[in-house]
């Protein structure tokens, strides 16, 4: 398992092996990123790591943008769906523990969103299925509302989750899939 040279243990006083023995992969990357963020911030180790540290915490929000495959389990995307489901569980567990320190942890599971990657994939699919990459929008017609989500729709949800108007939200995964 990859180890970062941190001066303090951040998440588990028992060691990294207690994070679920995740070797490499996206979940371990999130875990390591969280450890680095917590280690680099000022102040002592969070109370959910070391219950004896009386310290004033500045509030914060961690938003994981994951993907809906962790809920829908597409057979052609088993590895990705498994990773997404793990990130959802990570968000929920960390969101429960981090509230004692004023940190909220939430996630968004967007379905198909009209990003450059989405368009590239649909152009390839349109070329194969329809013989013309410019007909890619026809493939979105089968989605709810006949289109993919706009990136701004995901961004507005993230802005709300990060705002004080959602101040009691933690350990929650919001799915934005148009009802599909």
């Amino acid at each position: 398992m990859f180890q970062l040279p941190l001066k303090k243990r951040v998440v588990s006083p028992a060691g990294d092996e207690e994070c679920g023995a995740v070797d490499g992969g996206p979940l371990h990357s999130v875990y390591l990123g969280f450890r680095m963020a917590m280690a680099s911030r000022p102040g002592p180790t969070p109370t959910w790591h070391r219950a004896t540290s009386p310290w004033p915490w500045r509030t914060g929000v961690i938003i994981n943008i994951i993907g809906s495959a962790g809920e829908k389990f597409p057979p052609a995307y088993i590895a990705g769906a498994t990773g997404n489901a793990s990130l959802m569980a990570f968000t929920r567990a960390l969101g429960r523990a981090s509230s004692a320190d004023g940190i909220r942890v939430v996630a968004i599971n967007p379905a198909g969103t009209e990003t450059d990657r989405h368009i590239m994939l649909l152009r390839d699919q349109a070329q194969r299925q329809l013989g013309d990459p410019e007909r890619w929008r026809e493939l979105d017609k089968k989605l709810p509302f006949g289109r993919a989500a706009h990136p701004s729709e995901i961004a507005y949800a993230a802005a709300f989750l990060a705002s004080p108007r959602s101040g009691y939200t933690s350990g929650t995964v919001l799915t934005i899939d148009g009802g599909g």
Side-chain angles (χ1 to χ4, degrees):
M1 181 177 298
F2 179 74
Q3 297 276 337
L4 285 177
L6 296 179
K7 294 179 182 174
K8 298 179 185 176
R9 300 218 75 57
V10 177
V11 174
S12 174
D16 288 338
E17 61 278 359
E18 294 301 313
C19 80
V22 179
D23 295 319
L27 181 59
H28 196 239
S29 299
V30 170
Y31 169 73
L32 292 174
F34 178 77
R35 281 187 54 201
M36 288 191 322
M38 293 303 292
S40 66
R41 61 149 186 76
T45 306
T47 56
W48 40 268
H49 163 67
R50 192 179 73 197
T52 60
S53 78
W55 53 280
W57 176 251
R58 294 178 193 91
T59 61
V61 182
I62 296 170
I63 302 175
N64 293 319
I65 308 294
I66 301 173
S68 63
E71 294 179 341
K72 302 198 184 297
F73 311 115
Y77 192 59
I78 292 172
T82 302
N84 287 1
S86 296
L87 291 169
M88 291 165 51
F90 183 90
T91 297
R92 289 183 175 116
L94 192 57
R96 290 182 68 189
S98 64
S99 63
D101 296 301
I103 302 170
R104 296 186 300 109
V105 182
V106 295
I108 297 176
N109 277 348
T113 304
E114 196 172 294
T115 61
D116 291 342
R117 178 179 180 272
H118 176 80
I119 294 169
M120 177 196 67
L121 292 172
L122 286 185
R123 287 176 59 84
D124 287 347
Q125 186 177 350
Q127 177 64 47
R128 286 191 317 275
Q129 293 179 1
L130 307 173
D132 182 2
E134 298 307 313
R135 294 178 61 192
W136 66 269
R137 286 199 182 273
E138 294 176 34
L139 299 173
D140 271 346
K141 296 295 181 193
K142 65 181 182 230
L143 298 173
F145 300 103
R147 64 175 178 84
H150 298 296
S152 62
E153 292 168 319
I154 309 307
Y156 292 141
F160 170 73
L161 289 171
S163 78
R165 292 182 182 223
S166 187
Y168 198 67
T169 307
S170 190
T172 298
V173 178
L174 173 65
T175 298
I176 302 176
D177 65 357

